[in-house]
Amino acid sequence: MEFNWKGVMPAVTTKFTQEDTLDIPLFVHNIKAQLDAGVHGIVLGGTLGEASTLEDEEKRILTRETVQFVNGKVPVLMNIAEQSTKGAISAAQKAEQDGASGLMMLPPMRYKAGDRETVEYFKAVANNTSLPIMVYNNPVDYKIEVTLAMFEELLKCDNIEAVKESTRDISNVTRIKNNFGDRLKIMCGVDTLALESLLMGADGWIAGLVCAFPAETVAIYELQKAGKIQQAIDIYRWFLPLLELDINPKLVQNIKLAEVATGLGSETVRAPRLPLVGDERVEVLRVIQEGLNLRPQLPKYKNL
């Protein structure tokens, strides 16, 4: 399926059993909730998906299972986060073989590549796959910024089509639009800047709390798209304390706890991550419960 860079695309969590194996039935349960809510794509193996702890074969299983379950309803995107160019090319080709319809790509892991090295890394993968690519630009967490000058070079590759904009600088949406127009699609990658980014022209939202609150997330996107800005703002203001659980070093544990509260997952994580305990757990549960207590009645947001 050809990627249409728009709408809400959940960066889904990976579900594990108590025996530390993939929990495919629970994973599929969550994917079904995402589809029922009207999401526009599925992103596998990102930070929320605990990519750094997944074995190669587990990533392939997740891709194949998701592609089979989704059955063409929405595109399926696999994250590429590798330490070597060779490894990134191999991961991209395996994702393509397993049926993924697009890639999200981080810069090289561990090694802080320079600008030229980063550009050549992305281009090497782009030249060795036919899949469309979204560059994940998150200098806050990954310490490498893909600048506008670097994108000028990267866009010579036809299949580099989008950016997951996570610089935390909202004006960057306008800079990208001013420089590249629709040639570089913009997907907001920061939950707490999502509505602001969409209103400034971003095409979509790679979302985190959507894993626990799919309908509310899609409603915000659809309402703002239809010009019902105040309705979108009202939901977003309710959502913000929950969205802030995503901009935290323990975002995986936080969001998995929220999935438990909404019946869409478990809090089982893969070591070295551990479930939250003590005051930290109490505070996250308080935020989640308060959100549930004040959960808004959603308007009919589909087909606006």
Side-chain angles (χ1 to χ4, degrees):
M1 175 185 290
E2 183 177 350
F3 241 98
N4 194 352
W5 300 102
K6 69 173 186 179
V8 173
M9 298 187 186
V12 294
T13 59
T14 301
K15 309 300 189 287
F16 298 107
T17 68
Q18 290 297 320
E19 292 73 38
D20 197 31
T21 60
L22 295 179
D23 189 337
I24 296 300
L26 188 57
F27 177 77
V28 169
H29 173 66
N30 188 284
I31 296 295
K32 183 180 185 300
Q34 304 302 323
L35 296 177
D36 290 346
V39 300
H40 305 80
I42 301 291
V43 182
L44 303 172
T47 304
L48 263 181
E50 298 176 69
S52 62
T53 71
L54 293 178
E55 296 175 358
D56 185 62
E57 184 57 26
E58 290 177 322
K59 294 178 185 178
R60 302 198 71 173
I61 291 170
L62 288 172
T63 304
R64 292 193 293 260
E65 291 284 348
T66 306
V67 169
Q68 180 179 11
F69 182 77
V70 166
N71 193 27
K73 294 182 180 72
V74 297
V76 175
L77 187 71
M78 173 50 79
N79 182 46
I80 305 297
E82 300 293 331
Q83 298 181 55
S84 70
T85 302
K86 180 180 178 180
I89 291 171
S90 176
Q93 292 175 340
K94 289 172 183 174
E96 186 166 5
Q97 292 165 11
D98 293 334
S101 42
L103 303 172
M104 178 170 78
M105 270 197 71
L106 282 158
M109 297 287 94
R110 291 194 177 183
Y111 175 60
K112 189 179 183 301
D115 290 2
R116 180 173 64 89
E117 292 169 321
T118 301
V119 167
E120 290 302 317
Y121 175 81
F122 283 120
K123 287 173 65 177
V125 176
N127 291 333
N128 282 280
T129 180
S130 65
L131 294 181
I133 292 171
M134 174 177 63
V135 172
Y136 188 177
N137 192 18
N138 185 348
V140 176
D141 290 328
Y142 296 108
K143 312 308 177 189
I144 294 175
E145 180 172 6
V146 185
T147 64
L148 295 178
M150 293 163 72
F151 274 115
E152 287 277 3
E153 182 65 24
L154 290 174
L155 293 182
K156 294 176 182 177
C157 297
D158 291 341
N159 59 333
I160 294 180
E161 298 180 356
V163 58
K164 181 179 177 183
E165 166 52 34
S166 301
T167 63
R168 286 22 173 215
D169 182 354
I170 193 69
S171 62
N172 219 31
V173 174
T174 301
R175 292 189 188 97
I176 292 168
K177 287 296 180 185
N178 285 348
N179 279 271
F180 306 116
D182 286 335
R183 172 63 183 88
L184 185 64
K185 299 296 185 180
I186 303 171
M187 304 294 287
C188 175
V190 182
D191 271 2
T192 55
L193 293 176
L195 181 55
E196 295 89 338
S197 297
L198 291 166
L199 294 175
M200 292 307 297
D203 300 283
W205 178 4
I206 308 296
L209 264 296
V210 66
C211 295
F213 295 93
E216 289 83 355
T217 309
V218 178
I220 290 169
Y221 170 79
E222 297 291 357
L223 287 165
Q224 64 81 33
K225 184 183 176 185
K228 299 180 181 294
I229 307 302
Q230 189 57 54
Q231 286 181 276
I233 289 173
D234 290 343
I235 299 169
Y236 190 60
R237 285 177 176 166
W238 159 81
F239 211 1
L240 188 62
L242 289 159
L243 296 177
E244 287 176 334
L245 298 177
D246 186 56
I247 52 169
N248 182 286
K250 294 188 179 175
L251 75 164
V252 176
Q253 291 95 321
N254 293 346
I255 290 174
K256 283 193 166 184
L257 262 184
E259 287 180 319
V260 172
T262 57
L264 295 179
S266 77
E267 63 176 302
T268 306
V269 289
R270 175 166 280 176
R273 287 185 178 89
L274 296 172
L276 299 179
V277 295
D279 291 345
E280 191 173 35
R281 180 186 177 85
V282 169
E283 175 58 18
V284 172
L285 287 173
R286 183 196 66 77
V287 171
I288 294 168
Q289 189 58 53
E290 187 169 302
L292 290 173
N293 292 343
L294 300 173
R295 199 171 189 175
Q297 184 73 33
L298 297 179
K300 294 182 178 179
Y301 62 86
K302 296 181 181 179
N303 303 313
L304 288 174

